[in-house]
Amino acid sequence: MPETLVELVARIKVDAAQLEKGLSDAEKQTEASSKKMSDALKKVGIAMAASGAAITAAMGLMGKAAINEEINIKHLQVALKGVGVNYNSVKDSLEQVIKTTQRKTGIADSEQRDILSRLILVTKDYDKALKLLPLALDLASFTQMSATSAATYLGKAFEELENGAEKISIRMGTTSIEFKNLDEVQRMVGGTAEAMVNPFSVLKTTMIDLSEVIGSFLVPLIKSAIDNFIDITSKLQ
């Protein structure tokens, strides 16, 4: 498996380089003489053909995964900025928590960031939101509801307690159960996400992470190649 992965990364790198080189050569031919335009365009076609299925698949799937990861993190950055926290200041510790949780529960890092962002908006406090994150994931696993719904119910309960409520009501399945505080909720559902982990979910999130890593390497190369191609087409107009 490791050798196959290394070969894939190496092939992507070579394919992307071939595409970029082909486009660059074509552009030089275009600038040199309009009489060689036909040959230059053939070079573009050859370069694209040489890139093969590997670069096409990687650009479509791995590149998309990397871009989605960036967008996901930017959403969290906005939420953190709203409560006076710089993402880069907490990045290392936060991402380690998210990574560890993903490995233990199979809950994707992107989903965890979305839930954390939602909790930050409710609590208006990064530390409180981070503390509620595992409880929201446990509640979701315990009730078999989405993590987003669990965070919504938990956030509502948090607000009620902050406003002086003596009891909170949290929906669990088709019924709602009353609790005196969040500690009671923790005692009921705590540890459920890890206890009910699906090994295939862990495998899936691990493969997604792998796609994001490879995609982050691929996207800059493809972007550079596309820029060259745009330069060529602009000269044809």
Side-chain angles (χ1 to χ4, degrees):
M1 180 68 175
E3 292 182 359
T4 302
L5 175 58
V6 171
E7 291 173 359
L8 174 60
V9 175
R11 183 178 177 187
I12 289 172
K13 183 176 181 180
V14 171
D15 288 346
Q18 287 178 337
L19 175 57
E20 184 173 1
K21 182 178 184 301
L23 292 173
S24 179
D25 289 346
E27 184 177 12
K28 290 178 181 178
Q29 292 284 355
T30 301
E31 293 175 347
S33 173
S34 59
K35 294 181 180 180
K36 296 182 180 180
M37 181 63 70
S38 177
D39 180 59
L41 292 177
K42 287 181 181 179
K43 287 179 179 288
V44 174
I46 292 173
M48 287 183 170
S51 68
I55 193 173
T56 302
M59 183 177 180
L61 299 177
M62 297 178 185
K64 183 176 183 296
I67 292 172
N68 287 342
E69 175 86 347
E70 289 182 9
I71 294 174
N72 181 251
I73 291 176
K74 286 179 180 179
H75 284 162
L76 178 57
Q77 288 177 326
V78 172
L80 287 169
K81 184 178 180 180
V83 293
V85 177
N86 188 309
Y87 171 76
N88 291 326
S89 298
V90 298
K91 176 181 177 180
D92 292 340
S93 59
L94 172 58
E95 292 299 332
Q96 184 57 50
V97 169
I98 291 176
K99 181 179 179 181
T100 300
T101 300
Q102 175 179 286
R103 187 173 64 251
K104 291 181 177 180
T105 66
I107 299 174
D109 53 5
S110 57
E111 185 173 9
Q112 292 184 59
R113 293 191 196 97
D114 287 339
I115 299 308
L116 182 59
S117 295
R118 182 180 292 268
L119 291 173
I120 288 173
L121 292 176
V122 173
T123 63
K124 296 180 175 55
D125 185 286
Y126 166 66
D127 292 324
K128 290 180 180 178
L130 186 60
K131 185 177 180 180
L132 286 175
L133 177 60
L135 183 55
L137 301 179
D138 285 333
L139 180 61
S141 295
F142 186 86
T143 60
Q144 294 297 292
M145 70 172 73
S146 69
T148 300
S149 296
T152 298
Y153 289 130
L154 196 60
K156 183 175 181 295
F158 175 85
E159 282 187 308
E160 291 174 351
L161 289 171
E162 289 288 290
N163 291 328
E166 295 183 359
K167 291 183 179 182
I168 54 175
S169 178
I170 296 181
R171 190 168 186 78
M172 294 192 173
T174 58
T175 62
S176 294
I177 300 178
E178 289 189 342
F179 298 92
K180 291 182 179 179
N181 49 53
L182 294 180
D183 288 337
E184 285 192 349
V185 181
Q186 175 66 38
R187 284 194 289 272
M188 175 177 283
V189 307
T192 305
E194 185 174 346
M196 297 179 65
V197 60
N198 183 333
F200 286 103
S201 294
V202 176
L203 177 61
K204 179 181 178 180
T205 54
T206 300
M207 294 306 295
I208 291 175
D209 283 348
L210 178 60
S211 295
E212 292 167 352
V213 171
I214 297 177
S216 65
F217 165 79
L218 176 65
V219 169
L221 292 177
I222 297 302
K223 182 179 179 180
S224 177
I226 290 175
D227 286 342
N228 285 334
F229 185 73
I230 291 175
D231 287 340
I232 292 172
T233 57
S234 66
K235 289 180 174 63
L236 295 175
Q237 297 175 351

